[in-house]
Amino acid sequence: MRKALSAFLLATTVLLSGCDTGTSPTGNPTAADGPPTTSASPVGNDSELAARYRRAGGDPDVYGIKHAKNRDGVLVLTVWSRKRSGYGGGFDDFDRTLTSFLTGTGVSLDQGYVLNVYGPDGAILHRYDTTVENNS
């Protein structure tokens, strides 16, 4: 009986050890509040890249930027923003500023890209596709 109780307590501890109901100290949404992507909220380099973007004059609401190719080789740009609604008529300026910054850091946009912008609640604010397949 004692072994069964010990095993139960150990299993319960392991299961509960990954749970976190707190919020981020920076005020950014936690993973539970993040966008429905593989990486639910920006971490490490994603946040650092966004900080460099803001310092370069980019949108002050952006707190995460990630760029990676998907399994089809398409460049996907993921941006996390504190905006709760879209950019309205200013999206073209936002896109131009973001892509100019990224090309300055060495990111190649020659083959086009898919840009996904997420709000703080994980809702997608914009999806913009410049790949040849979708713009021919």
Side-chain angles (χ1 to χ4, degrees), residues 80-92:
W80 291 270
S81 174
R82 289 184 183 89
K83 289 188 183 298
R84 296 212 175 271
S85 61
Y87 285 85
F91 181 76
D92 289 339

Side-chain angles (χ1 to χ4, degrees), residues 8-76:
F8 174 77
L9 291 174
L10 178 62
T12 303
T13 302
V14 169
L15 289 173
L16 294 177
S17 66
C19 296
D20 181 15
T21 59
T23 58
S24 165
T26 60
N28 293 340
T30 62
D33 296 329
T37 62
T38 303
S39 175
S41 62
V43 294
N45 292 337
D46 305 341
S47 296
E48 292 168 18
L49 185 59
R52 289 184 13 227
Y53 166 71
R54 289 189 308 271
R55 283 192 301 270
D59 182 348
D61 287 323
V62 169
Y63 64 91
I65 300 172
K66 180 178 182 175
H67 57 87
K69 291 194 174 187
N70 66 14
R71 64 178 166 259
D72 297 325
V74 174
L75 180 64
V76 177

Side-chain angles (χ1 to χ4, degrees), residues 1-9:
M1 181 70 169
R2 196 171 250 207
K3 284 184 181 181
L5 181 59
S6 294
F8 174 77
L9 291 174

Side-chain angles (χ1 to χ4, degrees), residues 53 93-107 109 113:
Y53 166 71
D93 290 337
F94 167 73
D95 176 59
R96 193 171 24 261
T97 303
L98 176 66
T99 56
S100 175
F101 168 77
L102 289 173
T103 56
T105 66
V107 176
L109 305 174
Y113 56 93

